[in-house]
Amino acid sequence: MAQTRNPWSVRKNDPLEQLAQDVAAVLKSMGGSAHQAVVVDCVAALKRQRGESVAGDLAARIVEVFERYRDLFFRPFGEGSMRWALAPGAA
């Protein structure tokens, strides 16, 4: 029996953990992939719904999440594309 790995379990102390989870939730709700700008807008909306402030550097932080968590997110149309997707099994 194959053991599934929880991609979030190894990053509990990472300051970008919650943001990465928000990005994953947005991508999952959009069918698994979306344009980077749409992800930024939707994550901002999620934060506002929770009563959190939305920092001016949110877009840059989301790009940092995409780049740092390359095992969870990838560019389905190749490097240079602005579309991001969840890696299989990351949701």
Side-chain angles (χ1 to χ4, degrees):
M1 173 185 250
Q3 190 176 26
T4 57
R5 176 178 83 92
N6 178 352
W8 308 114
S9 64
V10 296
R11 296 182 178 86
K12 289 184 180 185
N13 296 323
D14 192 320
L16 295 178
E17 172 70 21
Q18 181 62 50
L19 188 56
Q21 289 182 18
D22 288 347
V23 168
V26 165
L27 287 173
K28 186 175 180 181
S29 74
M30 302 192 94
S33 70
H35 190 278
Q36 181 174 301
V38 173
V39 174
V40 171
D41 290 343
C42 290
V43 169
L46 272 177
K47 290 176 134 326
R48 286 186 196 103
Q49 285 176 338
R50 291 192 302 244
E52 299 174 18
S53 63
V54 177
D57 66 343
L58 180 63
R61 291 181 58 226
I62 288 175
V63 170
E64 181 181 353
V65 162
F66 282 136
E67 295 297 338
R68 181 181 289 186
Y69 296 92
R70 279 305 192 105
D71 56 329
L72 302 175
F73 308 110
F74 71 101
R75 295 177 193 238
F77 299 127
E79 294 305 312
S81 168
M82 297 296 283
R83 188 165 196 86
W84 288 91
L86 282 170

